[in-house]
């Protein structure tokens, strides 16, 4: 398991939302990138130094500090869409290989390189910017039905990362709440929401939603 690339965004206009810019255009960078804890949502700060988000209401902050997506899943989308998909094209900060990102457990921790430790927090929910960026009509529905969302991560231990760094799973909780399960519960299968309460590391908003569905 390792990083194929570390991807940092460059601001570009966002005609798909009423926002001045988007940071979804992420490109692989050479050399080390510093990873830091960004603090609460609302500032635009994220976990990779040099990157940021512009939809500060819905993105960024502690629980969405870093976004990871598997190269194997990008390859699947390449085949389905019949177009090349470069690392970073889904707006992911980390493009991984040999790591089943969607089967990762909420609260699972990854050591990347020598120092950085990240914790799986939640699933990515697709938005209008994502659909517009890919120029795929009906993309939100298609992405949702595939249930391959990729994972948001918190920064537990800061440091530097770079392409080709090894990824090691250093902790796995005992529950069975995966990124995929969270995504399915939050989108097309709300009857699954009560199951999410087994994951104490789930962000507060998702936990409150899950609790509201309990009898």
């Amino acid at each position: 398991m390792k990083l194929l690339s570390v991807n940092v965004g460059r601001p570009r206009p966002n005609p798909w939302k009423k926002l001045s810019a988007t940071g979804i255009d992420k490109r692989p960078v050479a050399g080390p990138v510093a990873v830091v804890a960004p603090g609460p949502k609302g500032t635009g700060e994220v976990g990779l130094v040099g990157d940021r988000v512009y939809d500060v209401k819905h993105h960024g902050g502690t629980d969405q500090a870093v976004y990871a997506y598997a190269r194997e899943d990008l390859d699947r989308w390449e085949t389905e869409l019949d177009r090349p998909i470069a690392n970073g094209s889904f707006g992911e900060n980390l493009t991984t290989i040999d790591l089943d990102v969607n089967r990762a457990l909420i609260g699972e921790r990854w050591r990347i390189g020598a120092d950085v430790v990240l914790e799986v927090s939640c699933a990515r929910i697709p938005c209008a910017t994502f659909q517009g960026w890919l120029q795929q009509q009906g993309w939100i529905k298609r992405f949702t039905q595939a249930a391959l969302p990729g994972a948001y991560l918190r920064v537990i231990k800061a440091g530097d990362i770079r392409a080709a760094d090894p990824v090691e799973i250093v902790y796995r909780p005992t529950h069975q709440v995966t990124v995929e399960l969270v995504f399915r519960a939050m989108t097309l299968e709300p009857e699954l929401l009560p199951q999410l309460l087994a994951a104490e590391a789930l962000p507060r908003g998702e936990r409150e939603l899950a609790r509201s569905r309990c009898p």
Side-chain angles (χ1 to χ4, degrees), residues 76 111 183:
R76 169 179 167 173
R111 178 181 291 117
F183 182 78

Side-chain angles (χ1 to χ4, degrees), residues 1 7-8 11 15 34 52 57 64 70 76 78 89 117 119 144 146 149-150 191 204 210:
M1 299 181 291
N7 314 304
V8 173
R52 65 159 293 149
K57 180 179 180 181
Q64 298 179 3
R76 169 179 167 173
E78 276 195 340
S89 292
V117 178
E119 180 179 84
T144 300
E191 66 275 11
R204 184 176 65 181

Side-chain angles (χ1 to χ4, degrees), residues 8 33-36 46-51:
V8 173
V33 178
V35 178
V36 298
V46 294
L48 269 61
V49 171
D51 199 4

Side-chain angles (χ1 to χ4, degrees), residues 94-106:
L94 310 179
T95 309
T96 67
I97 193 166
D98 296 328
L99 175 62
D100 194 343
V101 173
N102 295 301
R103 295 288 185 91
L105 299 172
I106 302 301

